[in-house]
Amino acid sequence: MNQQDETQPGTGPYHIVLPEWISCAPFERLLGMDIVEAKDGRAILSMPFRYEFAQGAGLMHGGALVSLADTAVVMAIKSLVPENTHFATIRLESAFLYPVRQGIVTAKAEARRDGDRTIAGEATVFDDTGRAVLSFSSTFKIARQSKIRGNSE
């Protein structure tokens, strides 16, 4: 929820209150993402190919696929860190393997500690036939005042 009346257009800032630590934010809900599982540094998310996600050739827009992969890694990270830990993507790389023409895409992600305040993540997005369509890797930085569970500082 934002503090502003949702019927009025706005440009932020917004204060977002999620129902649970591992749950979809407004952007993820807009894309129709579903958190299938998020635990022990792994996550599985799915998302339908809606008409609005099509680019000019009728294929699923690459930005929608990358958003799903990035969010899957975020949920994997959230399953590792204490609630309310602040972190952000500082690097990402994507390789588009096959076009998506229809159906539901599913991202399978893993996250692992990669330093005192960094977490590395990887995800693969699959089409509804099980074919890998996107390979994704990223690095996240944890805010200084936050700590990774099990981090001995």
Side-chain angles (χ1 to χ4, degrees), residues 40-41 75-82 111-113 119 148-149:
D40 303 325
M75 297 307 165
I77 292 169
K78 282 185 159 192
S79 76
L80 291 175
V81 298
R112 67 186 178 291
R113 185 173 159 193
I119 297 177
I148 299 173
R149 203 175 291 154

Side-chain angles (χ1 to χ4, degrees), residues 14 21 33 45 74 80 89 108 116 125 127 140:
Y14 299 104
W21 173 238
M33 290 185 195
L45 275 70
V74 165
L80 291 175
T89 310
K108 295 182 179 181
D116 287 343
V125 177
D127 66 14
F140 287 76

Side-chain angles (χ1 to χ4, degrees), residues 2 20 28 45 48 51 60 67 77 79 99 102 104 106 111 116 120-121 141-143:
N2 66 49
E20 297 176 38
E28 293 131 16
L45 275 70
Y51 175 81
M60 190 172 209
S67 292
I77 292 169
S79 76
Q102 64 185 22
I104 304 220
T106 302
D116 287 343
K141 189 81 161 200
I142 296 174

Side-chain angles (χ1 to χ4, degrees), residues 22-89:
I22 297 178
S23 60
C24 289
F27 178 71
E28 293 131 16
R29 288 195 312 267
L30 177 69
L31 294 179
M33 290 185 195
D34 181 45
I35 303 167
V36 176
E37 179 179 286
K39 64 180 181 179
D40 303 325
R42 298 179 195 274
I44 300 171
L45 275 70
S46 65
M47 181 176 76
F49 180 3
R50 295 179 178 160
Y51 175 81
E52 294 82 6
F53 304 161
Q55 42 87 305
L59 305 174
M60 190 172 209
H61 193 283
L65 292 167
V66 171
S67 292
L68 177 64
D70 186 52
T71 303
V73 172
V74 165
M75 297 307 165
I77 292 169
K78 282 185 159 192
S79 76
L80 291 175
V81 298
E83 286 193 25
N84 301 315
T85 299
H86 297 284
F87 57 92
T89 310

Side-chain angles (χ1 to χ4, degrees), residues 111-153:
R112 67 186 178 291
R113 185 173 159 193
D114 191 33
D116 287 343
R117 292 181 34 236
T118 58
I119 297 177
E122 295 181 355
T124 303
V125 177
F126 299 90
D127 66 14
D128 57 6
T129 69
R131 176 171 59 178
V133 297
L134 177 82
S135 177
F136 177 89
S137 63
S138 57
T139 304
F140 287 76
K141 189 81 161 200
I142 296 174
R144 251 183 232 290
Q145 65 274 22
S146 302
K147 294 182 181 181
I148 299 173
R149 203 175 291 154
N151 189 0
S152 56
E153 286 189 300

